[in-house]
Amino acid sequence: MPSEKYEYGVDFERVDAIDIHTHVEVDGHGHKAYDDQLVEAVGQYFKMGPGALSSVDGLADEYRRHNTAAVVFTIDARTGMRHESNSVEDLVAGAIRNNDVLIPFGSVDPWHERRAVHRVHELVRDFGVKGFKFHPSMQAFEPNDRRFYPIYEAIAEANVPALFHTGQTGIGSGLPGGHGIKLRYSDPMLLDDVAADFPGLTIVMAHPAVPWVDSQIAIASHKTNVYIDLSGWSPKYFPPQLVRAFSRQLRTKVLFGTDYPYIKMDRWRRDFEALDVDPAAVPLIFKENALRVLGITT
């Protein structure tokens, strides 16, 4: 248990935006979230330069400069990736140091099942995490498999959101067999089952879910407890039907997110400004919808 528990220090009235999707890829001991082959491949996919992986303190400095709060996480994919994951405890300690801008999400390995349920309770109670991140393709699980439902029950009881990667992933892209990573686990239709069976659980579908964007729009439109974050793609590549939905049926259901460090904020915001979006929807996308997902009142 940490010497102190994370508590919000963010002035939500003052910050300009909330980035719902950022990664800490290097922990306080220099340990990387992925093996070296994946690090090199994802760097090529996103055209990142050397040394671009993010530490918690470096991320905080970047977001402080932009007067923006950021949800931060790592991914516990020990079973799916057979690689020791970065420590959530280390992440929370960094978020505590930088609680004026950072909001930590926890992560559990779903294949640990009962241990994962206990871990959800522990991370919320003892560490103060404000949500949970899942990456079905990296963690190699079908989200609607009922063996994992006790995990969602625990998250719903804690009254925090669950954020799931959806669609294609840059992790493993360009490698033989995609490094064994299977895209079908990240079909958003699998989350439609979860959303229907757990109406009290707030679910965020991360990224424009190429090649399943139409399904994603339908799910978020149909289920009041489901949202979409806009991370992982430069907005100039967003599918046009998703952009149209920003100003219409999804104006209260989409969330600003970058996927930092893979997509930087300056680039994301510059490209977003070029889209044809109803100006009245913009403050909802950048901040107000995230406040609702996080359960924050100002």
Side-chain angles (χ1 to χ4, degrees):
M1 183 173 172
S3 58
E4 56 182 319
K5 176 180 174 179
Y6 176 86
E7 300 289 350
Y8 283 122
V10 180
D11 184 344
F12 288 107
E13 293 187 351
R14 183 188 61 82
V15 295
D16 294 330
I18 300 170
D19 186 338
I20 202 75
H21 195 121
T22 73
H23 294 265
V24 171
E25 306 290 22
V26 181
D27 68 16
H29 308 287
H31 181 253
K32 299 175 183 177
Y34 316 127
D35 63 47
D36 289 340
Q37 188 179 27
L38 276 181
V39 168
E40 181 179 357
V42 77
Q44 292 176 353
Y45 180 84
F46 284 103
K47 299 180 174 60
M48 299 166 65
L53 295 184
S54 55
S55 67
V56 67
D57 293 316
L59 191 156
D61 288 342
E62 176 80 6
Y63 278 76
R64 214 171 267 122
R65 286 194 294 272
H66 287 86
N67 192 34
T68 298
V71 169
V72 294
F73 41 69
T74 186
I75 302 165
D76 189 341
R78 280 172 284 184
T79 300
M81 299 298 294
R82 295 178 176 82
H83 178 74
E84 188 65 27
S85 301
N86 286 348
S87 163
V88 175
E89 289 87 345
D90 188 81
L91 174 76
V92 172
I96 290 171
R97 288 195 304 273
N98 299 284
N99 76 336
D100 60 313
V101 289
L102 299 188
I103 303 165
F105 273 25
S107 183
V108 297
D109 185 337
W111 291 105
H112 289 175
E113 299 188 42
R114 283 183 294 179
R115 205 177 348 150
V117 172
H118 172 78
R119 183 70 165 152
V120 166
H121 292 303
E122 177 185 46
L123 287 173
V124 173
R125 180 189 65 237
D126 298 339
F127 293 85
V129 304
K130 302 304 181 184
F132 286 86
K133 166 64 188 284
F134 296 92
H135 195 307
S137 291
M138 287 182 64
Q139 293 175 309
F141 80 108
E142 294 178 339
N144 64 345
D145 188 324
R146 286 184 171 270
R147 80 180 72 187
F148 307 119
Y149 272 27
I151 300 172
Y152 309 144
E153 289 173 3
I155 296 172
E157 287 172 10
N159 199 30
V160 297
L163 187 152
F164 291 81
H165 172 93
T166 59
Q168 116 184 40
T169 179
I171 306 298
S173 182
L175 294 176
H179 207 67
I181 295 168
K182 297 177 180 178
L183 300 182
R184 68 179 179 87
Y185 292 133
S186 293
D187 183 339
M189 286 307 298
L190 301 177
L191 293 175
D192 186 64
D193 291 350
V194 179
D197 293 337
F198 292 91
L201 175 64
T202 297
I203 295 172
V204 178
M205 298 184 289
H207 318 306
V210 175
W212 301 294
V213 172
D214 290 333
S215 296
Q216 185 183 39
I217 292 171
I219 295 164
S221 301
H222 188 252
K223 304 288 192 298
T224 60
N225 54 321
V226 178
Y227 296 77
I228 300 171
D229 89 35
L230 302 175
S231 67
W233 295 78
S234 164
K236 68 182 178 182
Y237 299 121
F238 286 171
Q241 68 270 37
L242 182 60
V243 176
R244 288 193 298 271
F246 294 172
S247 302
R248 296 175 176 84
Q249 74 271 32
L250 295 184
R251 62 192 296 119
T252 63
K253 305 298 290 294
V254 291
L255 310 164
F256 165 51
T258 60
D259 214 15
Y260 181 93
Y262 307 116
I263 305 288
K264 298 294 180 65
M265 195 186 322
D266 286 338
R267 176 192 178 193
W268 196 100
R269 298 195 72 150
R270 181 182 66 246
D271 291 348
F272 183 83
E273 288 170 1
L275 299 179
D276 182 17
V277 178
D278 180 356
V282 172
L284 301 176
I285 294 168
F286 275 96
K287 183 175 173 180
E288 300 304 321
N289 294 342
L291 290 174
R292 188 166 60 257
V293 164
L294 294 169
I296 295 165
T297 56
T298 59

